[in-house]
Amino acid sequence: MILRVKIVIIGDGGVGKTSLIRRYLGYGFNPKYLKTIGANFYSKKITYSDEKVKNLPVQLVVWDLAGQPRFNEVRSVYYRGAKAAIVVFDVTDRGSFDNIENWINEFWRNMNEKLPIVLVGNKIDLVESQDIDHVKTEEALKFAETLSRKYDIDIPYLETSAKVGKHVEDVFKEAIRAVLDYFMKKRGISV
Ligand code: G3D
Ligand code: MG
């Protein structure tokens, strides 16, 4: 038996969603393009382990928007069956940070359920290499905490660089962990 986990990756255009997936899966990894909804989906078998679970086979399916213009018409198809969302902003683009709560609400509204979220601040390499105005770690952490309290759900925050490959694996691992925790709690199963 293999657990199938669909994850959607959302956030403003240009924040690095596609780059994160490509970095995680390897650049030679080709998605299937769903022309009707303008989305790519990447599917890969992985073996998941953490402190509680050992070597769990998971069919990870990640959905990524290929173009946003027609998104209004296709969003229900895009979100259908998702178990979690990776919500990404660009730490050097405050506008993309300001939109995070909209993206989260949009996801939950479409799912009719407060499914797990992993919040990601990408392009951290840019602020490590130059002194530019950006969304600071403390501010993003505080925001994640505020959202967690407001919606009564734990929202982890991670900073990544798809460019140099920093903490990219952790994002996907955290998303799968959140999905397992969520559905085990929901079914009253403890491990
Ligand atoms: P999107 O899928 O969210 O729209 P993309 O974003 O993955 O297409 O990335 C948008 C641009 O940001 C790309 O630049 C990409 O190379 C760059 N980018 C993505 N992640 C990072 C990162 O971690 N660090 C840096 N420095 N750049 C990143 P181009 O120039 O190809 O449009
Ligand atoms: Mg993209």
Side-chain angles (χ1 to χ4, degrees):
M1 208 192 77
I2 186 158
L3 191 70
R4 192 173 176 279
V5 177
K6 172 176 170 178
I7 289 174
V8 290
I9 187 158
I10 52 180
D12 285 3
V15 296
K17 301 181 294 295
T18 304
S19 304
L20 284 165
I21 299 174
R22 290 197 164 270
R23 166 64 74 171
Y24 176 63
L25 293 173
Y27 288 93
F29 200 96
N30 286 320
K32 286 209 171 61
Y33 180 57
L34 304 173
K35 197 175 166 207
T36 45
I37 57 168
N40 281 313
F41 83 96
Y42 300 74
S43 178
K44 193 187 187 184
K45 277 196 187 107
I46 58 158
T47 304
Y48 175 85
S49 297
D50 63 23
E51 313 82 50
K52 292 189 267 179
V53 186
K54 287 285 157 278
N55 301 325
L56 180 72
V58 174
Q59 181 81 43
L60 179 65
V61 182
V62 186
W63 286 53
D64 179 33
L65 285 171
Q68 261 140 336
R70 289 176 59 245
F71 190 49
N72 280 335
E73 296 165 38
V74 298
R75 66 182 69 224
S76 65
V77 184
Y78 184 73
Y79 287 118
R80 190 173 300 154
K83 299 279 191 294
I86 295 171
V87 189
V88 187
F89 68 94
D90 170 350
V91 293
T92 68
D93 173 6
R94 183 159 288 275
S96 71
F97 179 64
D98 293 340
N99 277 335
I100 285 299
E101 197 168 353
N102 293 336
W103 280 109
I104 292 176
N105 281 319
E106 132 108 24
F107 174 59
W108 285 340
R109 199 168 48 240
N110 276 275
M111 303 313 299
N112 296 313
E113 187 179 0
K114 274 190 284 170
L115 289 171
I117 300 276
V118 176
L119 181 61
V120 174
N122 187 43
K123 307 199 188 181
I124 199 72
D125 58 287
L126 292 177
V127 306
E128 283 169 348
S129 59
Q130 344 166 15
D131 183 22
I132 48 173
D133 184 37
H134 66 282
V135 179
K136 306 269 189 311
T137 309
E138 306 76 60
E139 184 181 357
L141 276 173
K142 217 176 199 176
F143 180 60
E145 266 171 40
T146 305
L147 290 178
S148 299
R149 263 199 302 275
K150 180 171 170 186
Y151 296 110
D152 193 26
I153 177 175
D154 188 34
I155 301 178
Y157 173 63
L158 289 108
E159 287 180 339
T160 58
S161 166
K163 187 175 177 183
V164 304
K166 193 172 180 193
H167 296 155
V168 175
E169 291 258 340
D170 299 347
V171 167
F172 291 87
K173 185 161 183 189
E174 196 58 49
I176 295 170
R177 177 204 298 273
V179 169
L180 295 178
D181 281 354
Y182 181 84
F183 286 95
M184 281 194 252
K185 254 185 216 144
K186 204 171 149 180
R187 288 175 195 159
I189 304 164
S190 59
V191 286

